[in-house]
Amino acid sequence: MKVHILVENTSCGECAGEHGLSLYIEHEGKNYLIDTGATGLFSENAEKMGVDLAEIDEAFLSHAHYDHSGGFREFFAQNQKAKVYLQEACKKKYYYKITESAKKYIGIPADILDIYEDRFVYVDGYRKLGDGVFICPHTTPQLWERGRRAHMFGILDATITADDFAHEQTIVFEEKGGLYLFNSCSHGGVENVIEEIKAQFPGKVIKAFFGGFHMMGAKGVDSCNFTEEEVKQVGSTLLRTSGAVFYTGHCTGNVAGVWLKEVMGDRFKPFHSGMEVEV
């Protein structure tokens, strides 16, 4: 399996970065895309990396935020065949609460789901797509508590609720007896994602995880929404998944990254726009 980081907050080489995430995956003779970042930048980087977006067979939207869905217009202009799999809860409108009376829309850009409705496939929970490819929803209870802490909420039919991240999904690839997990932001907690997959695939070995940990604070990459103790506890918990390597970036943040590296050592690996990882 080969993973190409098409866009991420930071960059290496000729590829630029932005606040967003897009990953291209080669697995068992097929090509997959997870997210499109915030703009069409992922497409520019793909060209520089020799990735042909027209040849992507299947795509996924990890969750219903703009920094993962903003490039779909560009993707659909280049690719005429791939369906995009997303959770039913992506139909909600998602916001970040700035103050009690002010909110910021952080959901999927307006009209994308309507204009390209024939390209999107809604999934209600778990689905196996084919040999070695699985879509897994959150199963951890009371994730709305994390949504409330993060000041995130959703609106559907005028009903406002704290975000329980039912719109977030983990894409799992199985190859050579091991599992490779992709959850772009892990709003529900990366430690919870790991436990959810262990329960869904008992006895299977988790080899690697790719995605953000959503620990970055509202002030940007040099801030953190968690205490040092909380971050290091997550790192220690992840180490209990024997042998698994954690490739991360985007919303993890620099502060949390330093603390995690102290605990996790070489099993914590930052990624950047333009990187290619073979696992």
Side-chain angles (χ1 to χ4, degrees):
M1 175 184 290
K2 196 170 186 178
V3 181
H4 307 249
I5 315 300
L6 298 185
V7 81
E8 194 266 335
N9 296 40
T10 59
S11 63
C12 64
E14 297 181 358
C15 293
E18 68 176 8
H19 180 73
L21 189 63
S22 179
L23 307 174
Y24 169 75
I25 300 155
E26 299 176 51
H27 166 72
E28 301 289 5
K30 294 184 71 174
N31 305 313
Y32 300 88
L33 181 73
I34 298 179
D35 297 348
T36 59
T39 69
L41 180 60
F42 84 105
S43 175
E44 297 175 26
N45 287 348
E47 185 174 1
K48 293 174 182 177
M49 297 175 71
V51 171
D52 186 355
L53 298 178
E55 293 304 313
I56 288 172
D57 299 295
E58 291 176 325
F60 306 92
L61 176 58
S62 64
H63 62 288
H65 286 168
Y66 75 96
D67 51 329
H68 298 263
S69 56
F72 272 113
R73 288 188 178 90
E74 179 64 27
F75 176 63
F76 293 141
Q78 296 190 45
N79 182 292
Q80 307 302 315
K81 63 179 181 177
K83 296 292 187 179
V84 180
Y85 295 86
L86 69 171
Q87 290 292 318
E88 282 277 352
C90 286
K91 294 177 179 178
K92 282 187 178 182
K93 304 296 184 183
Y94 291 94
Y95 293 85
Y96 173 78
K97 183 183 289 186
I98 302 172
T99 66
E100 285 302 317
S101 59
K103 64 182 184 293
K104 176 185 177 182
Y105 182 68
I106 58 172
I108 300 169
D111 300 329
I112 283 183
L113 296 181
D114 294 329
I115 294 172
Y116 303 100
E117 63 179 343
D118 62 318
R119 302 296 297 275
F120 289 100
V121 178
Y122 291 95
V123 178
D124 186 13
Y126 170 87
R127 180 179 294 190
K128 180 178 180 181
L129 285 190
D131 290 340
V133 184
F134 309 87
I135 296 172
C136 301
H138 280 303
T139 54
T140 303
Q142 295 185 295
L143 286 182
W144 59 267
E145 293 177 348
R146 283 181 173 262
R148 184 172 61 183
R149 173 173 176 165
H151 306 291
M152 293 179 173
F153 62 95
I155 299 177
L156 182 65
D157 298 330
T159 301
I160 303 175
T161 56
D163 197 343
D164 62 359
F165 306 114
H167 57 104
E168 187 170 66
Q169 58 188 10
T170 301
I171 312 305
V172 178
F173 294 88
E174 184 172 12
E175 187 170 293
K176 297 177 181 177
L179 302 179
Y180 298 85
L181 282 50
F182 295 81
N183 187 307
S184 293
C185 281
S186 309
H187 291 95
V190 61
E191 69 280 19
N192 290 328
V193 170
I194 297 299
E195 293 307 312
E196 289 167 355
I197 300 306
K198 286 179 179 178
Q200 183 68 56
F201 301 89
K204 298 288 186 178
V205 177
I206 296 174
K207 294 290 187 68
F209 172 95
F210 287 82
F213 289 3
H214 205 259
M215 293 177 169
M216 184 173 72
K219 295 181 180 180
V221 294
D222 292 321
S223 63
C224 188
N225 198 36
F226 295 83
T227 66
E228 181 176 356
E229 182 181 3
E230 288 173 324
V231 172
K232 288 186 173 180
Q233 180 58 53
V234 169
S236 297
T237 299
L238 296 180
L239 288 178
R240 294 203 290 266
T241 302
S242 180
V245 178
F246 294 82
Y247 297 87
T248 187
H250 178 45
C251 57
T252 300
N254 294 338
V255 176
V258 170
W259 294 335
L260 289 164
K261 186 69 173 178
E262 289 178 12
V263 174
M264 300 177 68
D266 289 342
R267 290 175 61 188
F268 176 86
K269 296 185 180 296
F271 56 53
H272 315 281
S273 300
M275 279 183 61
E276 296 179 353
V277 181
E278 194 152 1
V279 292

